[in-house]
Amino acid sequence: MYIIDSDTFLEGDDVRSRKIGILVVLLLVLGFSGQISTVVAGVSPSYPAGDPQTWVIYQIVIDRFYDGNTSNNDPLKSPGLYDPNKENWKLYWGGDLEGIIAKLPYLYELGVSAIWISPVFDNIDVAVNGSNGPEAGYHGYWPKDFKVIEEHFGTWEIFRRLVQEAAKYNITIIIDFVPNHSNPNDAGEYGALYDNGTFVIDYPTDENYATVHPITKSLSYIYNHNGGITNWNDRWEVRYKNLFNLADLNQLNPWVDNYLKESTVPYLEAGIGGIRIDAVKHLEPGWLKTYADHVYARKNVFMFGEWYQGFNDEMYWDMVKFANYTETSLINIPLQQVLVDVFAYDTKTMWDLESAVNKYTTDFMWQNKLTIFIDSHDVPRFLSLRNDLTRFHQALAFVLTAPGIPIIYYGDEQYLHNDTVNDFGQVGGDPYNRPMMETWNTSTTAFKLIKALASLRRYNPALAYGLVITRYVSDDVYIFERKFFDNIVLVAINRNLDTSYRISNIYTSLPDGTYEDYLGGLLNGVGITVNSGKFSVNLPAGSVSVWQYKAVPTGPWVGAIDPVMGRAGNTVTVSGEGFGDVPGRVLITNGQDYWTAEVTYWSDKSVEFIVPSGITTQLNENHVEVIIERAGGARSNGIAFEYLTNKQIPVIFEVRNTQGTNLETQVGEFLWVTGSVPELSYWSPETIKAVGPMLCPAWPDWFVVASVPADTYIEFKFLKAPLGGTGIWEVGSNHAYLTPSSGIGEVSVEANR
Ligand code: NOJ
Ligand code: NOJ
Ligand code: CA
């Protein structure tokens, strides 16, 4: 039914003269719900749209995309929240799930693999009185019932239809989950929470039942009642106070924990391919890890969180540790801030961009799983900051080729923007970055650019899995190479709009030969000839050139594993190339012992296996390595995987009365927990691995929420160290604890003397 063809975007070009291949797509007829479907060649059953690292994600604010059903615009359940004239930017404007279904052919044409939709849960039914009139939860971040679909957007039946219809176009659906909070606690429905239609409690009522938790010191019941966040660098405040006026859910209440986890299940059963998690900086990392475990035990999906942070902010270290040791990816917000300075404001140069790239690719273990973006619903659109299409195309081209999974905000391909100044003085800021999508032109330069590079992401694995190597940088020019074994993509951007640059004798891994611009001159790019591993080029003003080489794999080359953690029985996908068409073996090793996993799917580019039980990780503390062995015996590079020893339970660990012990801290020091299971870093004293930093709401007592295996006898100790340091061990003998089989565990001990 549908064939993806990488060359259709460049009509009239002599395809054969260019060193680009045609993306080979196998047309498979599956018995999928009795419908005819197509699947990209050789992809795993978990990811029919392809491995997440090959995706281009398209971000949609459901209400502002397309109205596919006018009968739900002013529903009986919540009348009066709709503005047919689209004058009040904070009311519903009519977009819905059927609108997305109607536009799937358009999105397929654009070449996207995944659609991240704004939160689709039932939001409050009455308006909040704002500074400019009534405001509704059109954006979805004011949920009241996580088990019901918002009536302005559709029904469960329509949601399932969206997932199934999208699958026919090789597109997967990513939901936006909001576990941090419900809705405003001081207006509208006052934090009313419902469980599949049944009222549970609201924020003011909840306060009557709230008590101060003896360990966390949070005044809490279903919600936390500690006022609003004022110090954004205080770890306790950001987690236990309200984000603005949003009623802060207490995930450490067993009912809330269970409610949030079980509310995700129908989405997994509907067949979603990913979850974007809102406001993860405001949640306990230990709780989020148990949430991820809950999800991965049910379905292999791609998860990434929103952690709002810059490279130089105080909690950047925590952000990195979260991504590396909680095994949930993140949106690369620090990079976006640099991109705006480099391409819109010119307050930073390509040197700054290059060092930002070096920084995130060094700091983040799963650098190619970070999602990267230029525009979103939370920042002014680029064209509102600088109405220059050349620079905008350059920023888009960078996002589509740099390490990470690109996210394209709806309408960017149509140059959608509204430059009204918002209440915070931002030109085109929230809500003006959420205009109604109005045009569906498939021939804009931005549209062609996204389509071309989406196609290249599927075809050349250098973009999905490759390292990044700087080949040249100056104030205006950045030439970087992506390299996955012998697969190469080389990108050259000259941001100077007036001056071309002659650049000579640049090294590249591209084999000697002549390379046309993969974009066919779409952004004024040029061709190059590589001689003895070097090339010279005249980069036109304001241009982007892309050169690429697709190698024939000479062995099994592993690029990605999804998810990056799991327990026995979970399904895991390994992606790359050269695995062979005949099934071989999946090996798991701790560096000494090997385990063989049961293979449930095998193709040349993708293998799926079931995590075996009984793996021991002592040698590598948190991680083991997964290796693909071709039939015949050739083995791949190993890729890291975090083995969970059982279902994960949140446990609150407390150490009391540290004063006068060797755990007494100086300014800048924190406490950490390490222990006898991989989940507690298997006795690693390194703070990047041990659980923490612990929080200290009432010195000299410290606590932390850790994700640990259920029904397990564990021994543990506390460590003292600054962020990033190696800990000083608590004196004395180990503490011991038997974890519960469900709910939330608590263990509180006196510091050893
Ligand atoms: C981050 C979301 O992206 C933003 O739009 C929302 O308002 C806040 N989290 C609160 O949910
Ligand atoms: C090494 C530490 O020095 C010790 O204090 C701790 O008890 C053990 N690891 C774990 O058995
Ligand atoms: Ca509608």
Side-chain angles (χ1 to χ4, degrees):
M1 181 164 66
Y2 296 99
I3 305 277
I4 300 168
D5 178 351
S6 66
D7 291 303
T8 50
F9 68 96
L10 293 168
E11 286 124 346
D13 255 56
D14 180 2
V15 170
R16 259 156 303 177
S17 74
R18 283 175 291 127
K19 281 208 171 183
I20 67 171
I22 292 172
L23 180 69
V24 182
V25 172
L26 243 190
L27 200 69
L28 294 182
V29 180
L30 298 182
F32 183 78
S33 319
Q35 291 156 337
I36 297 199
S37 173
T38 61
V39 166
V40 179
V43 300
S44 74
S46 293
Y47 291 107
D51 154 40
Q53 288 177 217
T54 66
W55 293 352
V56 169
I57 299 172
Y58 188 84
Q59 183 197 348
I60 288 179
V61 176
I62 302 170
D63 183 59
R64 303 296 158 92
F65 191 60
Y66 188 62
D67 187 352
N69 178 356
T70 54
S71 78
N72 60 21
N73 289 359
D74 196 16
L76 283 175
K77 177 170 175 281
S78 51
L81 302 181
Y82 170 64
D83 180 3
N85 302 319
K86 301 182 176 54
E87 282 160 1
N88 181 335
W89 285 69
K90 295 192 170 181
L91 289 179
Y92 286 93
W93 284 3
D96 47 36
L97 298 177
E98 283 163 278
I100 300 175
I101 295 173
K103 292 300 180 186
L104 285 169
Y106 168 85
L107 296 171
Y108 174 79
E109 181 70 16
L110 184 60
V112 307
S113 292
I115 304 170
W116 153 22
I117 57 173
S118 50
V120 70
F121 321 101
D122 191 15
N123 268 233
I124 54 174
D125 290 348
V126 298
V128 164
N129 288 316
S131 44
N132 301 312
E135 300 180 4
Y138 74 93
H139 42 65
Y141 295 103
W142 293 352
K144 62 185 271 188
D145 194 334
F146 288 71
K147 296 183 182 172
V148 169
I149 301 283
E150 166 59 41
E151 65 277 5
H152 288 84
F153 299 153
T155 60
W156 269 112
E157 189 275 317
I158 295 166
F159 179 83
R160 291 188 195 99
R161 193 171 358 127
L162 168 64
V163 174
Q164 287 162 17
E165 291 298 313
K168 295 182 188 171
Y169 295 88
N170 293 329
I171 294 174
T172 197
I173 300 296
I174 299 171
I175 61 160
D176 193 330
F177 190 59
V178 189
N180 178 64
H181 55 263
S182 62
N183 48 79
N185 61 40
D186 55 358
E189 296 199 40
Y190 296 85
L193 186 67
Y194 289 72
D195 184 3
N196 203 13
T198 305
F199 177 77
V200 177
I201 209 153
D202 61 24
Y203 198 78
T205 310
D206 189 71
E207 187 154 8
N208 299 328
Y209 298 95
T211 53
V212 175
H213 188 282
I215 298 179
T216 68
K217 311 295 189 245
S218 173
L219 177 62
S220 63
Y221 182 47
I222 298 297
Y223 289 113
N224 292 311
H225 297 270
N226 307 306
I229 300 166
T230 51
N231 181 350
W232 295 83
N233 290 316
D234 182 294
R235 292 175 180 83
W236 191 87
E237 280 207 21
V238 297
R239 295 179 200 161
Y240 292 93
K241 291 192 171 188
N242 291 322
L243 175 58
F244 315 116
N245 62 345
L246 300 169
D248 196 49
L249 286 163
N250 173 20
Q251 294 79 19
L252 301 177
N253 173 295
W255 182 86
V256 175
D257 171 57
N258 183 61
Y259 171 80
L260 291 171
K261 286 173 179 166
E262 73 181 12
S263 71
T264 310
V265 175
Y267 292 96
L268 299 171
E269 288 171 351
I272 59 166
I275 306 177
R276 181 264 192 193
I277 309 174
D278 190 56
V280 295
K281 183 181 176 180
H282 304 286
L283 293 154
E284 280 291 359
W287 181 81
L288 269 165
K289 192 167 176 178
T290 68
Y291 174 77
D293 168 62
H294 172 87
V295 169
Y296 295 152
R298 285 155 183 81
K299 193 174 189 302
N300 182 350
V301 297
F302 175 62
M303 284 207 265
F304 60 106
E306 178 240 6
W307 182 303
Y308 202 89
Q309 198 79 71
F311 282 119
N312 301 316
D313 293 344
E314 215 163 304
M315 284 179 71
Y316 174 76
W317 191 91
D318 299 64
M319 177 186 190
V320 171
K321 184 171 181 183
F322 174 85
N324 291 355
Y325 288 92
T326 304
E327 317 295 12
T328 295
S329 194
L330 289 175
I331 304 176
N332 196 338
I333 290 171
L335 177 68
Q336 190 270 350
Q337 299 176 350
V338 176
L339 287 175
V340 165
D341 289 343
V342 171
F343 289 106
Y345 294 140
D346 287 13
T347 50
K348 286 194 169 136
T349 69
M350 288 299 206
W351 289 104
D352 299 299
L353 181 55
E354 192 246 4
S355 50
V357 169
N358 288 342
K359 183 158 178 57
Y360 80 82
T361 55
T362 305
D363 292 347
F364 289 94
M365 190 150 116
W366 307 103
Q367 48 189 255
N368 282 322
K369 286 191 200 297
L370 296 173
T371 58
I372 60 178
F373 70 108
I374 182 71
D375 282 350
S376 83
H377 63 307
D378 288 331
V379 295
R381 287 176 182 263
F382 183 98
L383 291 174
S384 290
L385 302 178
R386 180 165 180 172
N387 197 357
D388 182 306
L389 293 191
T390 301
R391 284 297 185 83
F392 182 51
H393 294 144
Q394 293 195 321
L396 284 175
F398 178 83
V399 163
L400 288 155
T401 53
I405 303 169
I407 301 177
I408 302 295
Y409 188 41
Y410 81 97
D412 270 4
E413 73 283 11
Q414 301 295 330
Y415 309 122
L416 182 67
H417 65 111
N418 178 295
D419 302 338
T420 309
V421 179
N422 72 8
D423 291 349
F424 309 102
Q426 290 174 305
V427 176
D430 172 8
Y432 304 105
N433 52 5
R434 306 160 184 186
M436 200 76 198
M437 182 90 164
E438 272 158 6
T439 56
W440 309 89
N441 182 348
T442 57
S443 60
T444 67
T445 298
F447 191 100
K448 291 181 189 162
L449 176 69
I450 295 162
K451 184 181 171 99
L453 292 175
S455 174
L456 186 60
R457 291 188 68 81
R458 291 192 189 91
Y459 172 67
N460 191 323
L463 290 179
Y465 313 130
L467 305 167
V468 64
I469 304 159
T470 299
R471 291 304 187 183
Y472 180 86
V473 54
S474 68
D475 282 0
D476 286 335
V477 175
Y478 186 17
I479 305 180
F480 61 92
E481 191 166 279
R482 306 294 313 284
K483 183 177 190 307
F484 177 64
F485 292 91
D486 299 339
N487 296 295
I488 311 294
V489 172
L490 186 62
V491 179
I493 305 177
N494 172 11
R495 73 166 183 174
N496 194 306
L497 299 175
D498 310 308
T499 310
S500 68
Y501 292 102
R502 176 77 193 162
I503 294 155
S504 303
N505 293 317
I506 306 299
Y507 284 102
T508 176
S509 312
L510 286 168
D512 284 5
T514 295
Y515 298 85
E516 299 292 319
D517 173 27
Y518 175 81
L519 297 174
L522 190 67
L523 303 185
N524 291 319
V526 294
I528 53 169
T529 298
V530 178
N531 271 317
S532 312
K534 287 184 187 175
F535 69 98
S536 298
V537 64
N538 201 46
L539 290 181
S543 66
V544 177
S545 308
V546 177
W547 308 291
Q548 69 95 29
Y549 175 76
K550 173 73 189 77
V552 176
T554 56
W557 292 344
V558 166
I561 188 162
D562 291 279
V564 296
M565 75 172 185
R567 56 165 125 132
N570 286 10
T571 297
V572 172
T573 303
V574 179
S575 307
E577 61 179 356
F579 299 169
D581 295 321
V582 182
R585 294 197 299 168
V586 173
L587 302 172
I588 299 173
T589 181
N590 60 12
Q592 184 179 333
D593 308 308
Y594 284 81
W595 290 264
T596 306
E598 179 193 341
V599 171
T600 52
Y601 174 81
W602 191 285
S603 74
D604 190 53
K605 289 175 157 185
S606 175
V607 164
E608 220 157 76
F609 71 90
I610 306 290
V611 179
S613 58
I615 291 176
T616 54
T617 70
Q618 292 87 316
L619 298 174
N620 295 27
E621 294 148 351
N622 311 63
H623 293 90
V624 289
E625 291 214 324
V626 176
I627 294 166
I628 298 295
E629 185 185 86
R630 272 181 81 110
R635 287 185 181 179
S636 72
N637 52 309
I639 192 157
F641 179 73
E642 181 175 346
Y643 177 67
L644 300 172
T645 54
N646 203 354
K647 170 184 154 177
Q648 299 291 294
I649 300 279
V651 169
I652 310 171
F653 286 81
E654 181 183 42
V655 56
R656 300 186 310 266
N657 297 320
T658 56
Q659 187 172 18
T661 73
N662 82 323
L663 293 179
E664 184 173 331
T665 48
Q666 305 292 315
V667 175
E669 288 181 325
F670 298 87
L671 298 190
W672 314 75
V673 190
T674 186
S676 59
V677 284
E679 288 89 341
L680 292 181
S681 79
Y682 211 92
W683 295 118
S684 172
E686 291 170 54
T687 58
I688 55 159
K689 296 178 180 172
V691 177
M694 299 179 76
L695 306 184
C696 189
W699 190 84
D701 302 342
W702 295 72
F703 84 93
V704 75
V705 178
S707 172
V708 292
D711 298 314
T712 304
Y713 172 79
I714 54 182
E715 296 192 4
F716 62 97
K717 262 193 173 181
F718 299 94
L719 301 164
K720 178 175 75 177
L723 297 181
T726 299
I728 291 167
W729 289 90
E730 178 188 13
V731 298
S733 50
N734 298 342
H735 306 284
Y737 178 61
L738 179 64
T739 65
S741 41
S742 63
I744 313 283
E746 283 182 19
V747 52
S748 175
V749 299
E750 287 279 321
N752 289 333
R753 310 191 161 252

